[in-house]
Amino acid sequence: QRVRRRSAGGPATALARRAGARYVIGNVGPTGEYLPPVGRGEPTEFRRGFAELGRAFAAAGVDALHVETMSDLAEAQIALAALLDAAPGIPVCVSLTFERRKRGFFTVMGNRLEEALPALAAAGATAVGANCTLTSADFVPLAAAARAAYPGPLILQPNAGAPRLEEGLALYDQSPGEFAADLAGIVESVGGTARGAVGGCCGTDPRFIAALAQELARRSLR
């Protein structure tokens, strides 16, 4: 989690600007360790590492920060607080990663979607949501649950189907068209892209994002 300041986005931000990016968002992932009693992570060390990233991204001039793929609400809250302090004035969004269970959507640490998303928003997140783990089809009911639990901006980034291993590689069989149709339907159901953002996580590539943009435009949702 500890990084050199110049490694967290300076050259990459400049390249993105030159490439014509409308917004440049600094990505902040989990530490890879769990907090007690599951793991041996130190909250103070977590906060120090996230704050260092926040200062580096702020110096690089990003437009926003996105904490994503968090499987523990407690770690996400530490990251959010650290980034808000270290990069004042820069919006911070937070996405958790959920599993679909019989009783709804939960992180592996047992955090329930309907409780976790409002808690993050109350702690200062500009937008909240989910990414990774699940397919775009799974995100249809997830988005409905998220909208019912939280009326503000949502970020939703599913995987391109369920992965399968072939010769040690993770391959995804979903087509860009199917992915785009699911996501566009979600945008229609949760109030349009002005209410947040949709995109892709594992297995998605430029074809998926292009198909999504085209489908949103076709439905007059952009």
Side-chain angles (χ1 to χ4, degrees):
Q1 186 66 38
R2 294 184 61 80
V3 296
R4 293 176 180 171
R5 172 178 289 271
R6 57 186 255 179
S7 70
T13 299
L15 286 172
R17 300 282 187 208
R18 288 201 293 272
R22 184 174 179 183
Y23 301 107
V24 179
I25 300 175
N27 184 73
V28 178
T31 63
E33 179 59 273
Y34 285 109
L35 295 163
V38 176
R40 296 180 294 178
E42 293 282 346
T44 301
E45 186 63 19
F46 278 17
R47 185 181 180 92
R48 185 180 299 115
F50 288 126
E52 188 173 350
L53 281 172
R55 289 190 293 271
F57 276 127
V62 298
D63 298 299
L65 295 165
H66 186 195
V67 179
E68 65 175 5
T69 325
M70 287 284 178
S71 59
D72 183 2
L73 175 60
E75 183 179 0
Q77 289 171 319
I78 291 172
L80 174 61
L83 294 172
L84 289 172
D85 285 346
I90 297 179
V92 182
C93 307
V94 184
S95 295
L96 301 175
T97 188
F98 295 97
E99 297 176 336
R100 188 176 185 180
R101 303 178 185 174
K102 291 182 179 179
R103 296 182 295 111
F105 295 93
F106 296 81
T107 70
V108 296
M109 296 300 290
N111 307 121
R112 188 169 177 260
L113 178 148
E114 289 84 352
E115 297 169 354
L117 299 190
L120 291 166
T126 298
V128 298
N131 76 289
C132 205
T133 304
L134 300 175
T135 69
S136 60
D138 290 320
F139 263 65
V140 174
L142 183 150
R147 174 52 73 229
Y150 176 63
L154 294 172
I155 296 178
L156 302 167
Q157 296 177 293
N159 287 348
R164 58 181 173 82
L165 287 177
E166 187 173 300
E167 297 182 354
L169 298 175
L171 302 178
Y172 297 80
D173 293 325
Q174 187 176 32
S175 72
E178 290 175 335
F179 179 88
D182 285 339
L183 268 291
I186 286 172
V187 171
E188 288 181 321
S189 69
V190 301
T193 52
R195 301 292 287 170
V198 289
C201 198
C202 299
T204 61
D205 57 34
R207 297 173 302 145
F208 286 79
I209 305 307
L212 175 56
Q214 291 168 4
E215 185 63 19
L216 292 173
R218 189 185 72 81
R219 302 190 192 193
S220 299
L221 296 171
R222 292 185 65 183

